[in-house]
Amino acid sequence: MAEYVFPPPPVPAAAVRGGGLYPVSRIFCVGRNYAAHAREMGGDDREPPFFFTKPASALTPSGAAIPYPPGTDDYHYEMELVLALGAPAHAVSAPDAEAAIWGYACGLDMTRRDLQAALREKKQPWDLSKAFEQSAVLGEIAPAAAVGHPRSAAITLAVNGETRQKADIADMIWSASEIIAALSRYYHLGPGDLIYTGTPAGVGAVRAGDRLEGAIAGVGAVAATIG
Ligand code: MN
């Protein structure tokens, strides 16, 4: 058997509440899934869900110190509910989609907002603004077997102890099941796939030294410090 020409990178993985590691295959993200955030980004709240991705290598554990990234002067937090899939899902209906959810977590979709705005203006791909190192912060995954399937829960994000985002996951335009159903029309989703489900209103810029603390009631928490 041929040998690797250099040691392969480690498998990205997330901590599971109660022990164990969840190996990550792909990271999908939903844009504009709360009406108030869609409006603050200049859209309306009736658009179908749209998706972008981050490399699995962007995964960063909660509690990490994240260096301020290069290429931006407007580095933003986005607090989000994250779905962790544990079963195949392709062309599934929304009612059937929930069975594919293995667990839930709190995540930060870190964003170079100035690049996102410039790329959007030029109708170019978002990768430079979304798919960069340490841009997918993730807290412990709470197994659905332990916490059930939350449909309503407070979602909050504080910067240096001051609340900046405060909403309820019930305010999502597209529910977890509807998101999986929509995405499964284009992919053979499966175990190891994470889906960041979009952020509420109140996104904003961070500076070096800032402490981010997010939480979703009954799901967990996520934190990061900007280096
Ligand atoms: Mn987001």
Side-chain angles (χ1 to χ4, degrees):
M1 186 174 123
E3 296 195 358
Y4 292 116
V5 296
F6 54 83
V11 175
V16 171
R17 186 191 298 174
L21 284 176
Y22 175 98
V24 174
S25 171
R26 296 179 288 189
I27 302 176
F28 297 96
C29 306
V30 182
R32 297 184 186 177
N33 199 29
Y34 290 78
H37 175 62
R39 286 193 292 270
E40 79 178 351
M41 294 299 290
D44 66 41
D45 54 9
R46 291 292 173 194
E47 297 170 2
F50 68 93
F51 300 94
F52 57 92
T53 62
K54 294 173 184 269
S57 59
L59 192 72
T60 300
S62 176
I66 305 174
Y68 197 97
T72 183
D73 294 313
D74 196 22
Y75 183 40
H76 276 214
Y77 56 82
E78 296 189 358
M79 175 64 196
E80 312 201 355
L81 172 68
V82 180
L83 316 177
L85 303 193
H90 176 63
V92 294
S93 67
D96 289 341
E98 192 170 81
I101 302 175
W102 189 87
Y104 297 85
C106 296
L108 296 171
D109 165 15
M110 300 305 293
T111 302
R112 290 162 163 153
R113 190 72 70 204
D114 43 1
L115 293 189
Q116 183 191 30
L119 294 165
R120 191 173 57 210
E121 180 73 21
K122 291 190 238 176
K123 297 186 176 357
Q124 292 179 352
W126 278 12
D127 299 49
L128 293 179
S129 69
K130 289 288 194 179
F132 56 96
E133 291 103 343
Q134 296 180 283
S135 63
V137 186
L138 194 70
E140 278 188 341
I141 298 174
V147 301
H149 294 280
R151 288 174 175 75
S152 175
I155 177 171
T156 57
L157 186 283
V159 181
N160 301 326
E162 184 178 316
T163 300
R164 299 287 181 81
Q165 292 186 283
K166 186 172 174 48
D168 194 293
I169 61 169
D171 298 337
M172 293 199 299
I173 297 169
W174 303 96
S175 70
S177 295
E178 289 170 333
I179 289 166
I180 294 168
L183 194 56
S184 80
R185 295 172 59 198
Y186 301 94
Y187 294 93
H188 293 78
L189 300 172
D193 287 336
L194 298 178
I195 305 175
Y196 282 60
T197 60
T199 196
V203 300
V206 295
R207 294 186 297 188
D210 281 350
R211 170 82 175 165
L212 303 176
E213 294 175 294
I216 299 174
V219 171
V222 64
T225 302
I226 309 305

PDB file of all heavy atoms in Angstrom, residues 4 53 65 72-73 75 116 132 143 166 181 188 190 223:
ATOM      1  N   TYR A   4       1.550   7.757   2.735  1.00  0.00           N
ATOM      2  CA  TYR A   4       1.407   9.203   2.632  1.00  0.00           C
ATOM      3  C   TYR A   4       2.787   9.849   2.477  1.00  0.00           C
ATOM      4  O   TYR A   4       3.743   9.424   3.138  1.00  0.00           O
ATOM      5  CB  TYR A   4       0.728   9.776   3.878  1.00  0.00           C
ATOM      6  CG  TYR A   4      -0.719   9.377   4.027  1.00  0.00           C
ATOM      7  CD1 TYR A   4      -1.134   8.601   5.104  1.00  0.00           C
ATOM      8  CD2 TYR A   4      -1.671   9.807   3.110  1.00  0.00           C
ATOM      9  CE1 TYR A   4      -2.471   8.250   5.260  1.00  0.00           C
ATOM     10  CE2 TYR A   4      -3.008   9.457   3.255  1.00  0.00           C
ATOM     11  CZ  TYR A   4      -3.400   8.683   4.322  1.00  0.00           C
ATOM     12  OH  TYR A   4      -4.713   8.337   4.470  1.00  0.00           O
ATOM     13  N   THR A  53     -20.281  27.090   2.747  1.00  0.00           N
ATOM     14  CA  THR A  53     -19.559  26.074   3.511  1.00  0.00           C
ATOM     15  C   THR A  53     -18.271  26.641   4.091  1.00  0.00           C
ATOM     16  O   THR A  53     -17.785  27.701   3.674  1.00  0.00           O
ATOM     17  CB  THR A  53     -19.193  24.857   2.635  1.00  0.00           C
ATOM     18  OG1 THR A  53     -18.327  25.276   1.588  1.00  0.00           O
ATOM     19  CG2 THR A  53     -20.426  24.210   2.037  1.00  0.00           C
ATOM     20  N   ALA A  65      -8.307  30.735  22.165  1.00  0.00           N
ATOM     21  CA  ALA A  65      -7.904  32.101  21.839  1.00  0.00           C
ATOM     22  C   ALA A  65      -7.677  32.152  20.339  1.00  0.00           C
ATOM     23  O   ALA A  65      -6.876  31.383  19.799  1.00  0.00           O
ATOM     24  CB  ALA A  65      -6.640  32.482  22.593  1.00  0.00           C
ATOM     25  N   THR A  72      -8.762  41.656   7.066  1.00  0.00           N
ATOM     26  CA  THR A  72     -10.031  42.285   7.437  1.00  0.00           C
ATOM     27  C   THR A  72      -9.809  43.385   8.465  1.00  0.00           C
ATOM     28  O   THR A  72      -8.869  43.317   9.271  1.00  0.00           O
ATOM     29  CB  THR A  72     -11.022  41.256   8.017  1.00  0.00           C
ATOM     30  OG1 THR A  72     -12.273  41.900   8.295  1.00  0.00           O
ATOM     31  CG2 THR A  72     -10.502  40.615   9.300  1.00  0.00           C
ATOM     32  N   ASP A  73     -10.687  44.376   8.418  1.00  0.00           N
ATOM     33  CA  ASP A  73     -10.759  45.388   9.467  1.00  0.00           C
ATOM     34  C   ASP A  73     -12.132  45.386  10.117  1.00  0.00           C
ATOM     35  O   ASP A  73     -12.485  46.320  10.837  1.00  0.00           O
ATOM     36  CB  ASP A  73     -10.472  46.784   8.885  1.00  0.00           C
ATOM     37  CG  ASP A  73      -9.040  46.907   8.376  1.00  0.00           C
ATOM     38  OD1 ASP A  73      -8.119  46.498   9.113  1.00  0.00           O
ATOM     39  OD2 ASP A  73      -8.860  47.382   7.240  1.00  0.00           O
ATOM     40  N   TYR A  75     -14.065  42.282  11.634  1.00  0.00           N
ATOM     41  CA  TYR A  75     -14.182  40.854  11.981  1.00  0.00           C
ATOM     42  C   TYR A  75     -15.370  40.688  12.919  1.00  0.00           C
ATOM     43  O   TYR A  75     -15.405  41.293  13.995  1.00  0.00           O
ATOM     44  CB  TYR A  75     -12.879  40.442  12.656  1.00  0.00           C
ATOM     45  CG  TYR A  75     -12.725  38.998  13.039  1.00  0.00           C
ATOM     46  CD1 TYR A  75     -13.158  37.962  12.219  1.00  0.00           C
ATOM     47  CD2 TYR A  75     -12.086  38.670  14.226  1.00  0.00           C
ATOM     48  CE1 TYR A  75     -12.975  36.642  12.592  1.00  0.00           C
ATOM     49  CE2 TYR A  75     -11.894  37.352  14.603  1.00  0.00           C
ATOM     50  CZ  TYR A  75     -12.340  36.344  13.778  1.00  0.00           C
ATOM     51  OH  TYR A  75     -12.145  35.035  14.149  1.00  0.00           O
ATOM     52  N   GLN A 116     -17.010  40.109   2.988  1.00  0.00           N
ATOM     53  CA  GLN A 116     -18.305  39.569   2.567  1.00  0.00           C
ATOM     54  C   GLN A 116     -19.077  40.625   1.774  1.00  0.00           C
ATOM     55  O   GLN A 116     -19.651  40.327   0.721  1.00  0.00           O
ATOM     56  CB  GLN A 116     -19.117  39.127   3.789  1.00  0.00           C
ATOM     57  CG  GLN A 116     -20.444  38.478   3.415  1.00  0.00           C
ATOM     58  CD  GLN A 116     -21.346  38.280   4.611  1.00  0.00           C
ATOM     59  OE1 GLN A 116     -21.309  39.048   5.578  1.00  0.00           O
ATOM     60  NE2 GLN A 116     -22.164  37.246   4.561  1.00  0.00           N
ATOM     61  N   PHE A 132     -12.307  30.490   6.394  1.00  0.00           N
ATOM     62  CA  PHE A 132     -10.900  30.715   6.718  1.00  0.00           C
ATOM     63  C   PHE A 132     -10.556  30.038   8.047  1.00  0.00           C
ATOM     64  O   PHE A 132     -11.445  29.514   8.740  1.00  0.00           O
ATOM     65  CB  PHE A 132     -10.588  32.217   6.741  1.00  0.00           C
ATOM     66  CG  PHE A 132     -11.457  33.025   7.674  1.00  0.00           C
ATOM     67  CD1 PHE A 132     -11.016  33.331   8.951  1.00  0.00           C
ATOM     68  CD2 PHE A 132     -12.709  33.482   7.266  1.00  0.00           C
ATOM     69  CE1 PHE A 132     -11.800  34.072   9.822  1.00  0.00           C
ATOM     70  CE2 PHE A 132     -13.506  34.220   8.131  1.00  0.00           C
ATOM     71  CZ  PHE A 132     -13.046  34.516   9.411  1.00  0.00           C
ATOM     72  N   PRO A 143     -25.945  15.415  22.798  1.00  0.00           N
ATOM     73  CA  PRO A 143     -26.671  14.393  22.027  1.00  0.00           C
ATOM     74  C   PRO A 143     -28.184  14.586  22.124  1.00  0.00           C
ATOM     75  O   PRO A 143     -28.715  14.864  23.212  1.00  0.00           O
ATOM     76  CB  PRO A 143     -26.260  13.078  22.705  1.00  0.00           C
ATOM     77  CG  PRO A 143     -24.992  13.393  23.443  1.00  0.00           C
ATOM     78  CD  PRO A 143     -25.116  14.837  23.863  1.00  0.00           C
ATOM     79  N   LYS A 166     -29.768  38.469  21.282  1.00  0.00           N
ATOM     80  CA  LYS A 166     -30.731  37.845  22.186  1.00  0.00           C
ATOM     81  C   LYS A 166     -31.979  37.547  21.376  1.00  0.00           C
ATOM     82  O   LYS A 166     -32.637  38.464  20.889  1.00  0.00           O
ATOM     83  CB  LYS A 166     -31.049  38.798  23.339  1.00  0.00           C
ATOM     84  CG  LYS A 166     -31.926  38.198  24.419  1.00  0.00           C
ATOM     85  CD  LYS A 166     -32.008  39.163  25.607  1.00  0.00           C
ATOM     86  CE  LYS A 166     -32.972  38.733  26.688  1.00  0.00           C
ATOM     87  NZ  LYS A 166     -32.838  37.351  27.117  1.00  0.00           N
ATOM     88  N   ALA A 181     -33.895  19.210   5.075  1.00  0.00           N
ATOM     89  CA  ALA A 181     -34.649  18.786   3.890  1.00  0.00           C
ATOM     90  C   ALA A 181     -34.192  19.557   2.661  1.00  0.00           C
ATOM     91  O   ALA A 181     -33.970  18.973   1.588  1.00  0.00           O
ATOM     92  CB  ALA A 181     -36.147  18.979   4.131  1.00  0.00           C
ATOM     93  N   HIS A 188     -25.706  14.273  -0.414  1.00  0.00           N
ATOM     94  CA  HIS A 188     -25.967  13.070   0.377  1.00  0.00           C
ATOM     95  C   HIS A 188     -25.392  13.338   1.755  1.00  0.00           C
ATOM     96  O   HIS A 188     -24.219  13.048   2.031  1.00  0.00           O
ATOM     97  CB  HIS A 188     -25.332  11.846  -0.276  1.00  0.00           C
ATOM     98  CG  HIS A 188     -25.959  11.487  -1.590  1.00  0.00           C
ATOM     99  ND1 HIS A 188     -25.696  12.162  -2.766  1.00  0.00           N
ATOM    100  CD2 HIS A 188     -26.876  10.532  -1.910  1.00  0.00           C
ATOM    101  CE1 HIS A 188     -26.413  11.639  -3.752  1.00  0.00           C
ATOM    102  NE2 HIS A 188     -27.136  10.644  -3.264  1.00  0.00           N
ATOM    103  N   GLY A 190     -24.713  13.140   5.800  1.00  0.00           N
ATOM    104  CA  GLY A 190     -24.490  11.950   6.609  1.00  0.00           C
ATOM    105  C   GLY A 190     -23.760  12.246   7.896  1.00  0.00           C
ATOM    106  O   GLY A 190     -23.502  13.414   8.230  1.00  0.00           O
ATOM    107  N   ALA A 223     -17.549  29.720  23.750  1.00  0.00           N
ATOM    108  CA  ALA A 223     -16.787  30.914  24.120  1.00  0.00           C
ATOM    109  C   ALA A 223     -15.518  30.986  23.299  1.00  0.00           C
ATOM    110  O   ALA A 223     -15.007  29.974  22.801  1.00  0.00           O
ATOM    111  CB  ALA A 223     -16.447  30.890  25.612  1.00  0.00           C
TER     112      ALA A 223
END
